[in-house]
Every structure is written in structure tokens, then in C-alpha cells.
Amino acid sequence: MEIKENISLKPYNTFGIDVSSAKFVEVNNVSDLKKVLINNSDNILILGGGSNMLFTQDFGGIVIKNNIKGIDIIEESGVEVEIKVGAGEVWHEFVMYCIEHNYGGVENLSLIPGNVGASPMQNIGPYGVEVKDLITEVVAFDLRDFSIKTFSNKQCKFGYRSSVFKASEKGKYFITSVTFKLNKQAKINTSYGAIENELQRMNISSPTIKDVSDAVISIRSSKLPDPKEIGNSGSFFKNPIVSEEQKDKILENYVDAPNYLQPDGSFKMAAGWLIEKCGWKGKRIDNYGVHKNQALVLVNYGGANGTDIFNLSEEIIKSVKETFGIELEREVNIV
Ligand code: EPU
């Protein structure tokens, strides 16, 4: 294990922002992590795939990149399989492993950037499936007393793009593994309109999990920029949840505003639609801007700095607030 000094974090964040870190280390196991923490206890920043972060300044502490690997079957029957996955595994590679072995459940979550350890943190959830419905356990290292704690699904307190790791326990744990329960007799979920349309286009009427994964990959590749080509962090904002009255008020002026009833009677509005209506979609300022195919995604065309992108997000929040009275929240962490 090597502690590097003064290194650029550009290769370690999908936004491609070029800031530096005073120290940087990759840890492959808990004993490495303990050694690092004994000598560097304050000002640490834990990094997974760096796909949900916007760096706005150089970092004076130590970046600890979670590189804990491993995919282990812990229980298997004819119907189900329980798999424990190291937090440092790349999410999409894990999804591809599941497709290859015919373990169903994660196919709708194909091509999500980032690592396995980040999946419970923000309860990733595209195309009608949320990862919380597949997770049985999360094992984490307590940064305060160096103990190992196992969180049951319930203890993770999952919500829309959130969990205990993003809320009350934020910054207190280093996730080491996530355990998933997957189906060997897949229950395909194609309820999300875009998947149905894509499968139709592919001429597939009874899809396998591989077909669903291919459809998702095709939709995501057509709508979302590939971070290897254009720096971005996926959805920059969360979809806002509003009351029925607020939703009705918006519909009075905009009959086509997408809205989705939530179990508690509130409504989720599409942030991408709100931002587009405010005229931001495809807007480019120098080397950064709003993606042309999905207004939820802010992009770095190369060489942009994080503060400029942050300021753009402030302007977007302001204009959505002025037009619709809704305060957008960022999904991306600002560092
Ligand atoms: N829409 C617009 N303009 C836009 C974007 C969207 O009018 O620029 C409209 C769409 O036409 C649709 C509605 O808004 O009626 C919803 O759009 P979409 O289905 O693309 O989903 P989203 O709500 O914009 C969410 C996730 C994405 C995920 C998709 C697909 C959040 C914050 N984002 O986006 O997640 O891929 O659903 O399930 O919940 C990510 O987190 O990085 C991410 C890309």
C-alpha cells in the first residue's frame, strides 16, 4: 500500500475535474484501512468510483479510495442466490457477472457508473427498480471506533436516493461489502415505458435478463453522456417531491408536466422536465453546460472547473424556484 502525495484527482472523478489531493491511498482490505487511519485520522475523504462528486477545490487531507474486491456466493438454492460483493467492485461489472450467471434482479441497473459500495448509499434506482429491494445486508467499518457493523436492510433506512449512510450516519462509516439476494428464475420488470419501447424496437416479446440489460444499455447510451468522453456525474439533481396542491398548481399552467404519485400521496416531478422548461437544456457556457439530451445532467466538456459547474447549478436552482416555486436539491456531493 503506497501513500501518494500531491496527486491530481482527475482520473478519480467522472466529472473529470482537475483538483489535487495532499495525500492519496488505495485500500484493498480493512487492515490497510486501519493502518492508514491510525496515522491520518482527520480530514479524510472516502472515494468509490468518484461518480457522484463535484470537486470545487483542492483537498488538503487524505483521499482513501475503496478498492476492496471480491464476489462470493454465500447461499444458493434452485430459486435464489445470495451474493456478497466487495464495495470496490465496479457496479456495471458486477451487473455483467450477474447476467452471465443468469442471476436476475440487477439488469435494470445496467451501466450505472460507480462502485458497488456506493449503491446502498444513495439507493440507486433507474427504470422502475431500486437497489434497496435487492440488498439484504451492508457491512461497514466504523471510522470512530474501528469496529465492523452489519446493517440489515431495515437499518439502512432506504428512501428515494437516500439511506442512513447519506443522512444520520453520513461520514461515519466505510462500506466494505454489500450483500444482494437475486433470482435464478428471473422476474423481469419492464414496466418502465422506455424499456418496453426499446424491447419492441429490438423485436423482443419475451425478454431475458440479458435482453433487458441490453435495452437499458441502449437507452442510457443514447440519452446520457459517457463520462469517458464528456465529464459528468449522471443526474446532478434529485427529482423533487411535492404536495398534491403544488402539483395541481403547476398542471394549471403546464398540462404535460410529468408527475408520479408516491405511496404517501405526494408527487414526484421530473427535474429534467422542469429544467428544460426553464430553457437550460443543451445550454453551453465555455467548456461546461447542461447536456443536450437530458437536462438533469451537467457536463464538463474538458478543463472546466468545479466552481463554475456549481455556480451553474445555483442558477438552475434559482430559475426553477422562480418559475415553478420548487427548490431543487442536488444529488451530487459537493467537495
Ligand atoms: N424529461 C424532460 N426533459 C429532460 C429530461 C427528462 O422533459 O431533459 C422528462 C421525460 O420526458 C420524462 C420525465 O422527464 O417524461 C422523466 O425522465 P426520465 O425517464 O429520463 O427519468 P428522470 O426522472 O429524468 C431518473 C433518474 C436517472 C435514471 C432515469 C431512468 C433521478 C434523479 N434520475 O431520471 O438516474 O436513469 O430516471 O430511470 O432519479 C442518475 O442517477 O445518474 C440517473 C441518470
Side-chain angles (χ1 to χ4, degrees):
M1 178 181 55
E2 185 198 353
I3 298 188
K4 297 178 185 158
E5 292 192 0
N6 280 322
I7 74 145
S8 166
L9 294 177
K10 193 171 172 205
Y12 302 105
N13 73 98
T14 58
F15 244 124
I17 304 292
D18 192 5
V19 292
S20 69
S21 177
K23 290 184 187 175
F24 178 91
V25 66
E26 288 189 50
V27 297
N28 299 315
N29 51 51
V30 168
S31 90
D32 276 1
L33 176 61
K34 279 187 191 160
K35 278 184 213 148
V36 170
L37 290 172
I38 284 165
N39 298 315
N40 307 272
S41 55
D42 45 54
N43 212 5
I44 62 170
L45 174 69
I46 297 164
L47 201 61
S51 61
N52 205 30
M53 286 206 164
L54 177 66
F55 288 113
T56 56
Q57 54 189 317
D58 291 336
F59 183 65
I62 183 163
V63 168
I64 305 177
K65 181 162 162 56
N66 188 339
N67 203 26
I68 298 177
K69 303 278 189 193
I71 299 185
D72 296 302
I73 307 281
I74 52 172
E75 216 176 310
E76 186 166 9
S77 70
V79 191
E80 284 176 335
V81 60
E82 209 163 351
I83 313 181
K84 185 171 182 168
V85 189
E89 291 284 350
V90 174
W91 175 263
H92 183 65
E93 287 173 14
F94 165 59
V95 172
M96 290 296 101
Y97 164 93
C98 294
I99 306 282
E100 217 172 276
H101 291 79
N102 203 29
Y103 301 151
V106 284
E107 56 281 358
N108 293 42
L109 298 115
S110 298
L111 216 61
I112 300 233
N115 288 358
V116 167
S119 63
M121 290 210 48
Q122 52 163 347
N123 181 22
I124 55 175
Y127 310 109
V129 175
E130 280 188 311
V131 80
K132 73 169 171 55
D133 298 325
L134 306 165
I135 291 176
T136 54
E137 251 176 36
V138 174
V139 180
F141 175 91
D142 189 324
L143 295 162
R144 295 156 299 179
D145 64 6
F146 289 19
S147 63
I148 300 282
K149 179 163 178 188
T150 300
F151 291 79
S152 66
N153 178 294
K154 196 164 171 231
Q155 287 170 322
C156 292
K157 295 190 183 153
F158 290 119
Y160 167 60
R161 289 296 204 268
S162 84
S163 72
V164 78
F165 305 106
K166 253 192 123 171
S168 61
E169 303 300 286
K170 189 172 178 182
K172 297 181 187 159
Y173 289 94
F174 181 102
I175 294 175
T176 56
S177 71
V178 185
T179 304
F180 301 87
K181 194 180 256 181
L182 302 176
N183 293 303
K184 291 167 79 172
Q185 292 159 6
K187 302 170 190 136
I188 304 276
N189 179 342
T190 57
S191 57
Y192 206 84
I195 297 194
E196 254 173 26
N197 296 343
E198 184 61 23
L199 288 168
Q200 246 173 34
R201 203 190 58 81
M202 291 158 72
N203 254 328
I204 292 167
S205 52
S206 42
T208 62
I209 57 170
K210 168 91 169 55
D211 295 329
V212 174
S213 170
D214 286 346
V216 168
I217 290 173
S218 158
I219 302 166
R220 286 188 77 91
S221 317
S222 69
K223 273 181 100 176
L224 299 168
D226 179 353
K228 287 193 195 95
E229 286 155 26
I230 301 176
N232 75 90
S233 269
S235 299
F236 197 92
F237 303 97
K238 291 189 200 178
N239 285 328
I241 312 281
V242 302
S243 65
E244 187 167 10
E245 296 78 64
Q246 260 181 305
K247 183 258 316 173
D248 287 342
K249 213 166 150 222
I250 292 168
L251 286 179
E252 275 173 22
N253 297 318
Y254 304 89
V255 278
D256 60 335
N259 61 89
Y260 312 93
L261 177 62
Q262 301 301 293
D264 66 356
S266 60
F267 286 80
K268 192 189 271 181
M269 306 289 295
W273 183 92
L274 298 167
I275 296 168
E276 181 175 344
K277 281 286 163 201
C278 293
W280 290 102
K281 192 170 182 173
K283 197 169 175 85
R284 180 171 176 158
I285 308 122
D286 299 331
N287 48 6
Y288 61 98
V290 180
H291 189 54
K292 62 179 190 335
N293 298 332
Q294 166 56 290
L296 259 187
V297 179
L298 304 189
V299 290
N300 169 13
Y301 290 104
N305 80 52
T307 305
D308 285 341
I309 294 174
F310 177 79
N311 290 339
L312 169 62
S313 74
E314 289 276 75
E315 281 189 59
I316 293 172
I317 291 172
K318 205 169 136 219
S319 84
V320 169
K321 172 95 186 168
E322 279 167 10
T323 312
F324 296 104
I326 294 178
E327 183 121 13
L328 290 184
E329 253 181 73
R330 294 180 186 85
E331 185 186 309
V332 165
N333 297 301
I334 311 294
V335 183

